Amino acid sequence: MTMRLKLASTAALMALCLLFAAPAGAADSAGPQLKAAIDALLNQLDASTHGQLKWEGSDRMAIHEEGDAAIAEITNARFSIHAPADKPAATLAHLTLGHVEIRRAPGPDGTSKLSIALPSESILDTPDHGQTKITLKDATASAIVDGQSGMVRASTLAYAGARIDDKPTGDWVTFGPLTASSKIAAAANGGWTGPIAFEQKEIEFFATQGPASGAIDRIAYTALSSGPDLAAFNRLRQQLAALRQKNLSPPARLDATLDLLPGILSLFTMAKGELTLEGLVVRAPTGKPLVAIKKASLGGALTGLSGEAAALRVTFAQDGLNLAPNLIDPDKVPQRATVDIALEDVATGPLRTLLEAAGKLRQGTKPADKQQAEQQALGAAAMLNPTLRLYDLSIATPAVGIDATGVAKGSPLSPKGYTAAGDVAVRGFDALGELAGHAPPAAYLPLLKELGTPATADDGSPRLKFHLASTPQKPITLNGSDISAWFAPNHPMPGRPRLLRPAEPAMTGTDVSAVQQALAAAHIAAPQNGAYDGATAAAVARFQKANDLNVNGVADAATRLKLGLKPGPDERDGPGHGRSRAGGN
């Protein structure tokens, strides 16, 4: 859908949130209280949205009382949507909400209860695009608002169905039932919890540009956050609300946010959430599916911020991905994939110090103060001592499957250094070449097969396994062999031979031919084509295994010496230029 539709949705939600947060006012009876709250909201709308949403009036606004409740009825409420302040001044759209009814009544514990009947029809009108019609069926919203602070304790949003029609293009989207809720609840010992739930079902769409149509069975989001101090958390909410009301420049707003950031950490014990999508299908004009996903999810969890060590864990998973054969070869489609990664054991004391130092690295800071903040940040970073853990990385196509786990502890900035290790198991290794194509890593596949350890999975299918490790003393090893030469610069001293290793394009020259000839003389099957390709590197690895050398498939000085090769006096650097002569054998 167009960006204008996104702006319309954002504007409507923004207006609702502001209505929810409207304070109780100071008038004597319910009707004037509600009128004062609405007037205050409309007066603050421009500043609180940084000029992007403006109130333009309505055809009718009537407020009456019904018992201890007050009811406001607004017909054709009009808003204008504008470009951000840093963009050229322009009115992007006008939004008209057909009929809105707001009911306000006393709630428990000095709260107010807001009930809102949302308009059944609204119009988004853009000067250069035309009208977009938004239809809602049985749409309602509610909120429990604290009478003193005006902070929302709980809110709900629901409708039985919705439809968006873009008249100029003929694009449309329909929605089935939606339910959403959130609340801030007091917990034991003065703490708090904040659950959020959202579920949208039965989405269908059609776009003329493409053209394409499709559907989504379900989109859901669940989240839960908690903290040790409800009073302090509410003070933060009030500070953020006050900040939103100020008409600050972007740099000033950033500075104000950075000032608050270090104190936010101690207010949260945990914050986690998961977004789930089910049953997505996008169809071509013929009706044939182009893209389909059975289920996909993205989740995150931030824990321990109010304690001594924090952790951040992010998980992505998808199952049942299918793409049309005209888009990609079905054998290359990852039908299942999972990424589950975490940063753990992050010391929160140094983290707060790091954030405080970052707050000082802003425009206008004196050079001496900036230098001190940089040193403070580096010292704090060295004390974080995190653990990076890969719980699971898995990708499965019809022919290939990859599963990996790993962990890295410590920081290179720390005097203790770091350690890292990981394990990778590959199903269908021989089919990896088709997936990699002509990418540079493809040159290493024959060598990796030589270095891998054969194994059998629980289901009896074969696997090739790899164990990687890294320490300050050994930057990277694979199944016990040092492979750091794969990544080292290949610029030897004059008169010394090149490191021969797989590359794209392959390294060529008489030095390569000499290595290939020496391998054959040692009864190691190797190509004789003058190109240091993957097959040649694999042959070098077999020779290294047989001669108790470091097994990395690189023709280094030790391997050349064992092969009986010596560099010529006119050895030159660079692919395609080296010349060697055989000696010994």
Side-chain angles (χ1 to χ4, degrees):
M1 300 306 296
T2 66
M3 180 61 71
R4 295 170 180 81
L5 295 183
K6 296 180 182 179
L7 282 170
S9 300
T10 302
L13 288 174
M14 190 181 302
L16 284 175
C17 291
L18 289 168
L19 282 170
F20 285 170
D28 294 331
S29 59
Q33 279 187 2
L34 182 56
K35 178 66 166 62
I38 294 175
D39 287 343
L41 161 71
L42 299 177
N43 289 333
Q44 296 169 359
L45 194 58
D46 191 335
S48 62
T49 62
H50 317 304
Q52 291 185 253
L53 187 64
K54 297 179 183 292
W55 168 252
E56 301 292 351
S58 65
D59 289 351
R60 175 176 176 269
M61 182 185 295
I63 298 177
H64 65 277
E65 297 183 14
E66 189 176 281
D68 58 0
I71 301 171
E73 296 187 59
I74 308 173
T75 302
N76 290 333
R78 294 184 294 274
F79 300 88
S80 58
I81 303 171
H82 300 263
D86 58 344
K87 303 293 183 182
T91 300
L92 301 179
H94 294 277
L95 177 65
T96 302
L97 308 180
H99 182 81
V100 181
E101 182 178 297
I102 306 171
R103 174 184 289 267
R104 187 175 202 167
D109 302 325
T111 62
S112 296
K113 182 177 181 180
L114 285 174
S115 300
I116 303 175
L118 299 173
S120 59
E121 184 176 300
S122 301
I123 298 295
L124 179 71
D125 195 347
T126 55
D128 60 344
H129 183 74
Q131 285 190 350
T132 298
K133 182 179 178 181
I134 305 168
T135 305
L136 300 174
K137 181 181 179 182
D138 300 331
T140 61
S142 68
I144 301 296
V145 182
D146 185 84
Q148 293 184 345
S149 66
M151 306 303 296
V152 177
R153 292 189 184 181
S155 64
T156 66
L157 174 66
Y159 56 65
R163 183 180 177 94
I164 300 175
D165 286 286
D166 191 55
K167 293 183 178 180
T169 63
D171 297 349
W172 55 263
V173 185
T174 64
F175 303 87
L178 174 142
T179 58
S181 64
S182 67
K183 68 177 179 179
I184 300 295
N189 301 322
W192 61 275
T193 59
I196 298 174
F198 170 91
E199 183 179 61
Q200 171 69 70
K201 296 181 178 180
E202 302 169 12
I203 303 172
E204 295 187 15
F205 57 89
F206 174 79
T208 53
Q209 291 185 357
S213 61
I216 301 174
D217 290 342
R218 178 175 177 265
I219 298 176
Y221 176 73
T222 58
L224 178 65
S225 54
S226 64
D229 190 336
L230 176 59
F233 180 67
N234 279 334
R235 285 195 295 272
L236 172 66
R237 296 173 69 198
Q238 291 173 334
Q239 288 176 306
L240 293 174
L243 186 60
R244 286 194 297 268
Q245 299 294 331
K246 295 179 180 179
N247 192 15
L248 298 176
S249 65
R253 186 170 301 279
L254 177 60
D255 287 347
T257 303
L258 289 174
D259 288 338
L260 293 175
L261 193 56
I264 292 177
L265 298 183
S266 61
L267 300 181
F268 285 84
T269 302
M270 173 267 294
K272 63 180 181 180
E274 183 177 46
L275 177 65
T276 302
L277 180 147
E278 297 177 358
L280 166 68
V281 60
V282 178
R283 300 185 182 89
T286 60
K288 291 184 177 180
L290 294 174
V291 180
I293 297 177
K294 183 178 179 181
K295 184 177 180 179
S297 63
L298 176 64
L302 186 59
T303 58
L305 288 176
S306 61
E308 295 182 356
L312 172 64
R313 185 168 180 175
V314 178
T315 304
F316 168 79
Q318 72 85 7
D319 180 33
L321 173 63
N322 285 288
L323 301 176
N326 62 313
L327 297 178
I328 189 173
D329 184 345
D331 289 337
K332 296 182 179 181
V333 176
Q335 297 173 331
R336 293 184 303 279
T338 300
V339 179
D340 186 358
I341 191 169
L343 188 65
E344 302 174 340
D345 303 323
V346 180
T348 54
L351 180 59
R352 283 189 287 271
T353 301
L354 185 62
L355 292 175
E356 290 171 358
K360 300 174 184 177
L361 298 174
R362 60 183 71 172
Q363 291 184 346
T365 303
K366 294 180 180 179
D369 294 337
K370 188 175 182 179
Q371 182 178 8
Q372 183 181 8
E374 290 173 348
Q375 294 174 349
Q376 186 181 23
L378 287 174
M383 298 174 62
L384 289 176
N385 198 35
T387 297
L388 179 64
R389 192 178 302 276
L390 180 63
Y391 282 95
D392 185 20
L393 170 63
S394 60
I395 302 174
T397 71
V400 176
I402 299 175
D403 294 278
T405 60
V407 61
K409 296 183 177 181
S411 166
L413 296 175
S414 172
K416 296 182 179 179
Y418 70 98
T419 61
D423 292 282
V424 181
V426 182
R427 167 181 60 85
F429 187 90
D430 291 337
L432 275 175
E434 296 183 8
L435 295 179
H438 297 290
Y444 281 84
L445 291 177
L447 175 57
L448 286 171
K449 186 174 182 180
E450 187 67 33
L451 298 181
T453 302
T456 302
D458 294 339
D459 61 2
S461 59
R463 297 287 190 275
L464 203 59
K465 289 191 172 183
F466 304 91
H467 178 76
L468 296 105
S470 177
T471 65
Q473 294 74 30
K474 292 186 177 182
I476 182 167
T477 62
L478 177 61
N479 286 352
S481 295
D482 186 346
I483 61 170
S484 55
W486 292 5
F487 314 101
N490 200 353
H491 299 294
M493 298 294 292
R496 298 182 63 180
R498 297 184 296 172
L499 286 176
L500 300 179
R501 60 192 179 193
E504 183 61 40
M507 302 173 74
T508 59
T510 55
D511 53 348
V512 176
S513 297
V515 168
Q516 291 176 333
Q517 293 167 11
L519 288 169
H523 307 291
I524 300 293
Q528 300 296 312
N529 55 7
Y532 205 87
D533 51 19
T536 300
V540 169
R542 287 194 295 273
F543 176 82
Q544 291 169 333
K545 281 183 183 179
N547 289 273
D548 296 325
L549 296 171
N550 178 58
V551 184
N552 62 2
V554 176
D556 53 17
T559 302
R560 290 172 186 265
L561 182 62
K562 201 70 173 180
L563 283 169
L565 298 173
K566 297 180 180 178
D570 57 349
E571 190 82 47
R572 291 182 292 174
D573 300 347
H577 289 290
R579 286 187 286 193
S580 291
R581 64 188 180 197
N585 291 344

